[in-house]
Amino acid sequence: MSTREIVTLQIGHYANFVGTHWWNIQESSFVYTPQALTGPKEINHDVLFREGQTLHGEVTYTPRLIAVDLKGSLNALRKEGTLYEAGKEEEVKWESDVALHESSPVQKNEFLEDLDLVEAEQMSDVHPNLEDDPDMKPNSEKSETEDAMFGRKLYNLDNSVSVWSDFLRVHLHPKSLHIVDDYIHRNEEQPFDMFQLGTSVLKNVDSMDAIEDQIRFFVEECDHLQGFHMLMDWCDGFGGYGASLLQYLEDEYTNKARMTCAVSPAVMPDSTVRHRANRIINSAFCLDKGGNMSSLFVPMSLAGSLWKKMGSSRHFPYLNYKGELDYHTSGIMAACLDTVSLPYRREGFSTQLADITASFNSLGRKVAAVYTSFPFPLTPQGTFVESLMSHKDHPPWYSLTPHVGTCLDPYMQSCVVRGVPEHKTTRSQPTPDIPGILTGCSSLAEVLQLYLSETYPQTFNAGCTMRDACKVVSPYPHVFSSKVSSSGFICDKDRTSYQGVESVPAMTSLQSNSSVYDLTSSLHNEASRFNIKKHHHYLEAGLEEDEYRETLDSVTTLGQCYKTDTSIS
């Protein structure tokens, strides 16, 4: 069966945080030797990754990705990557006096230093011309640093990650990085903080031609392109940038699915009127423009609320994360994204991205909510069914979409369960808490389908089960409580301090439900309070009053698609 490829676009600094964790998680699940296989191949990595060659003929495997960020956001990462001999500085001849300004090299953290050591060892294996020097011969056994890359060494990177490239484990193609030179990362004098600034960047012909060239490069090498993933910051200028790209994709690749995950940090600047106004106004424009031009639009954040005041970070029973660290929060969202996307990345199955988006966006419902149980609570002695039943009347997952709560009767949902061993599916005999109908199931997939149909009888349910758990080895952050074992089970005894968590079972649900109305209505209510005439920086950026009123009307219209008697507050 031929691969149905997807091209991914990461638009914005936080989107690149999420994406970096996502690519790291996927790379962690690669199997390099037949001996390491635990069963039949489950994931077709060619959907999101591409195979290529370096100038020396060495095979490479890199994400089919374009990552967009501002100038000064890469730290030690070279714009052209490290796989190819591109970007070498040429000798500059100048007859006049020259003032030479040297900048200090960026200090790499412990993880990146170890990564360099591993790559140096791998290069010595590829180029055996170093064999004359006995100190340079490759070892036949795995080195300590190579083992570290598979989770055996624990890194504490909380204080040494400032940008997403500080924990990037995979190589990127030279065509993957796109830097917006018009603005500088974390520049308070000229912040990239308005939707209209993002759209204005791509009104420049040269800027638009450059990003189009990168998109075409990845698209044209696909045999059967099924669509695009877009991870997009939606509370700043990247919302406008991403919306402009979505317009381009809609015009040029009309029949291809476009799934947009609009992401935002759990903690953002909230100390001034401008901070709060930007967050609300930008979100309204992004929901309108981005939502209408996407096949499916999924807002994601660990913040409970984003509008008038930043809400407290979401609580998860077995996570101890720091909401102020993008390195932590983006890791949780990436694990959710990796699990949600499994149905159309499965090996040998015909589900496609368009199947998901078309099922959800009927009747104008282009916005979906996402929920996760991470890790899914399995005890060493317990079963999947017992964990489900322990939630009683409450769904077994938690919302990752701000202003959206759990819903007991969604219109549509795609549910994924991964990492539950078959022998832990259910008991052979019914108990007072477990219906006999569930003990008669012969597989995890059968249990999931029965649970969904019995719990959500009015919902169009789609279920997917995967054998392998979610890999969370280094450099994934230490966000799990001490009750989570290294293999992801919930134990009474604390995990030792020198032992990390390597994999966890997980469950996600992507839903179209009436609670989305709460998001649209609350955003409309807050955005309507602004007299746009008083926000001169928006008017100076090209915003007109009529355009703002039309955007608010569009947000209201979108919300009406989800309005039911139970969703009216």
Side-chain angles (χ1 to χ4, degrees):
M1 179 175 151
S2 59
T3 297
R4 304 282 296 184
E5 303 96 342
I6 293 174
V7 175
T8 301
L9 295 93
Q10 292 167 194
I11 314 299
H13 198 65
Y14 190 69
N16 282 312
F17 262 85
V18 177
T20 297
H21 277 302
W22 188 24
W23 301 115
N24 288 348
I25 289 171
Q26 292 180 72
E27 199 272 344
S28 300
S29 67
F30 289 175
V31 177
Y32 295 96
T33 61
Q35 294 79 7
L37 285 171
T38 58
K41 182 183 176 184
E42 282 197 308
I43 300 176
N44 182 358
H45 292 291
D46 292 337
V47 172
L48 295 178
F49 282 75
R50 62 179 295 281
E51 186 174 301
Q53 283 190 341
T54 67
L55 298 178
H56 298 293
E58 299 153 0
V59 175
T60 63
Y61 204 53
T62 56
R64 195 176 293 108
L65 164 71
I66 299 106
V68 180
D69 213 328
L70 301 182
K71 190 174 182 179
S73 62
L74 298 182
N75 274 8
L77 181 64
R78 290 165 50 191
K79 182 178 178 180
E80 68 277 0
T82 59
L83 287 178
Y84 301 84
E85 294 180 357
K88 285 188 175 181
E89 295 184 2
E90 297 180 358
E91 181 182 356
V92 178
K93 296 182 179 180
W94 194 257
E95 295 181 357
S96 303
D97 294 337
V98 175
L100 182 62
H101 299 274
E102 293 187 4
S103 59
S104 301
V106 176
Q107 184 66 37
K108 293 186 177 182
N109 59 41
E110 183 183 8
F111 167 74
L112 292 180
E113 289 178 347
D114 282 354
L115 187 60
D116 286 344
L117 287 174
V118 171
E119 292 174 354
E121 290 180 2
Q122 292 171 344
M123 286 299 294
S124 67
D125 289 340
V126 173
H127 300 288
N129 57 333
L130 304 174
E131 61 186 2
D132 293 336
D133 185 347
D135 294 329
M136 297 298 287
K137 284 185 178 180
N139 245 325
S140 59
E141 298 181 358
K142 284 186 176 181
S143 67
E144 180 183 348
T145 51
E146 189 173 357
D147 278 341
M149 301 312 298
F150 292 90
R152 297 189 182 182
K153 181 175 180 179
L154 300 182
Y155 296 92
N156 185 356
L157 302 179
D158 289 2
N159 297 322
S160 59
V161 167
S162 60
V163 298
W164 52 271
S165 60
D166 288 337
F167 60 97
L168 179 65
R169 176 170 161 170
V170 302
H171 283 295
L172 300 182
H173 188 274
K175 287 281 190 181
S176 282
L177 291 176
H178 183 95
I179 299 302
V180 178
D181 290 322
D182 300 353
Y183 294 88
I184 300 175
H185 179 57
R186 292 175 182 160
N187 186 334
E188 296 183 0
E189 294 182 3
Q190 190 184 9
F192 191 60
D193 62 352
M194 290 186 292
F195 184 93
Q196 284 67 26
L197 296 180
T199 58
S200 66
V201 168
L202 290 184
K203 288 179 181 177
N204 180 286
V205 175
D206 292 337
S207 298
M208 192 65 195
D209 285 347
I211 191 71
E212 285 180 11
D213 177 69
Q214 288 175 269
I215 294 173
R216 281 196 298 267
F217 171 82
F218 289 104
V219 167
E220 290 175 358
E221 66 177 11
C222 295
D223 293 324
H224 303 283
L225 176 71
Q226 60 171 304
F228 300 87
H229 280 150
M230 181 179 284
L231 279 64
M232 173 176 65
D233 291 4
W234 73 317
C235 292
D236 58 19
F238 282 112
Y241 191 102
S244 296
L245 280 187
L246 284 169
Q247 180 69 68
Y248 165 76
L249 296 179
E250 184 180 51
D251 294 340
E252 295 294 320
Y253 307 98
T254 306
N255 298 323
K256 305 301 181 183
R258 301 173 302 280
M259 182 169 176
T260 301
C261 293
V263 299
S264 57
V267 176
M268 289 185 284
D270 195 43
S271 58
T272 68
V273 173
R274 174 163 176 159
H275 287 154
R276 291 186 285 274
N278 283 349
R279 196 165 61 240
I280 295 169
I281 295 172
N282 290 335
S283 298
F285 274 104
C286 197
L287 183 63
D288 171 28
K289 310 300 182 186
N292 283 323
M293 289 179 288
S294 300
S295 304
L296 193 64
F297 188 86
V298 187
M300 296 179 67
S301 179
L302 294 191
S305 62
L306 289 174
W307 312 147
K308 187 174 182 179
K309 187 177 181 180
M310 289 293 297
S312 57
S313 301
R314 299 277 189 181
H315 170 72
F316 298 87
Y318 302 104
L319 296 180
N320 293 327
Y321 71 95
K322 298 176 182 177
E324 69 276 11
L325 292 184
D326 293 349
Y327 170 57
H328 280 201
T329 59
S330 60
I332 297 168
M333 293 209 291
C336 175
L337 180 60
D338 188 65
T339 305
V340 162
S341 61
L342 286 173
Y344 50 89
R345 295 194 289 129
R346 298 178 74 183
E347 179 74 19
F349 285 80
S350 58
T351 300
Q352 297 179 26
L353 178 60
D355 297 331
I356 303 290
T357 58
S359 299
F360 275 82
N361 65 21
S362 61
L363 303 177
R365 296 171 182 155
K366 286 204 170 185
V367 180
V370 66
Y371 304 82
T372 188
S373 178
F374 179 75
F376 184 82
L378 273 179
T379 63
Q381 295 78 31
T383 66
F384 176 66
V385 168
E386 288 170 326
S387 292
L388 285 179
M389 294 298 101
S390 68
H391 288 82
K392 306 296 183 183
D393 296 329
H394 189 278
W397 43 62
Y398 302 86
S399 176
L400 289 186
T401 298
H403 301 272
V404 174
T406 54
C407 183
L408 299 179
D409 56 348
Y411 311 126
M412 166 73 192
Q413 75 170 325
S414 171
C415 186
V416 180
V417 177
R418 70 189 307 181
V420 177
E422 282 291 342
H423 70 275
K424 296 183 71 63
T425 299
T426 187
R427 303 286 185 193
S428 58
Q429 298 295 327
T431 68
D433 296 327
I434 302 178
I437 191 173
L438 288 177
T439 61
C441 296
S442 59
S443 67
L444 182 64
E446 190 176 347
V447 167
L448 178 61
Q449 287 298 145
L450 189 58
Y451 171 77
L452 294 177
S453 62
E454 291 292 320
T455 309
Y456 305 99
Q458 305 301 318
T459 301
F460 185 78
N461 296 298
C464 171
T465 59
M466 303 290 279
R467 176 192 68 239
D468 294 335
C470 181
K471 296 286 188 181
V472 288
V473 297
S474 297
Y476 198 83
H478 305 301
V479 296
F480 301 98
S481 81
S482 59
K483 299 299 181 183
V484 181
S485 71
S486 62
S487 54
F489 294 117
I490 309 303
C491 302
D492 294 330
K493 185 179 179 181
D494 287 352
R495 187 180 70 254
T496 57
S497 59
Y498 56 83
Q499 189 176 35
V501 178
E502 298 186 5
S503 63
V504 294
M507 186 178 191
T508 60
S509 175
L510 181 67
Q511 296 186 8
S512 174
N513 65 42
S514 58
S515 292
V516 173
Y517 175 77
D518 298 333
L519 183 151
T520 60
S521 62
S522 61
L523 177 56
H524 179 270
N525 289 341
E526 293 300 329
S528 298
R529 298 176 187 272
F530 293 112
N531 181 351
I532 204 65
K533 292 180 181 178
K534 295 183 178 181
H535 296 269
H536 303 292
H537 51 293
Y538 275 94
L539 300 179
E540 292 167 1
L543 175 62
E544 297 181 358
E545 293 179 60
D546 289 344
E547 182 184 1
Y548 189 59
R549 282 194 292 268
E550 290 173 2
T551 294
L552 296 182
D553 290 343
S554 294
V555 171
T556 299
T557 302
L558 179 63
Q560 296 300 316
C561 301
Y562 300 87
K563 194 172 182 179
T564 65
D565 292 339
T566 58
S567 64
I568 303 175
S569 56

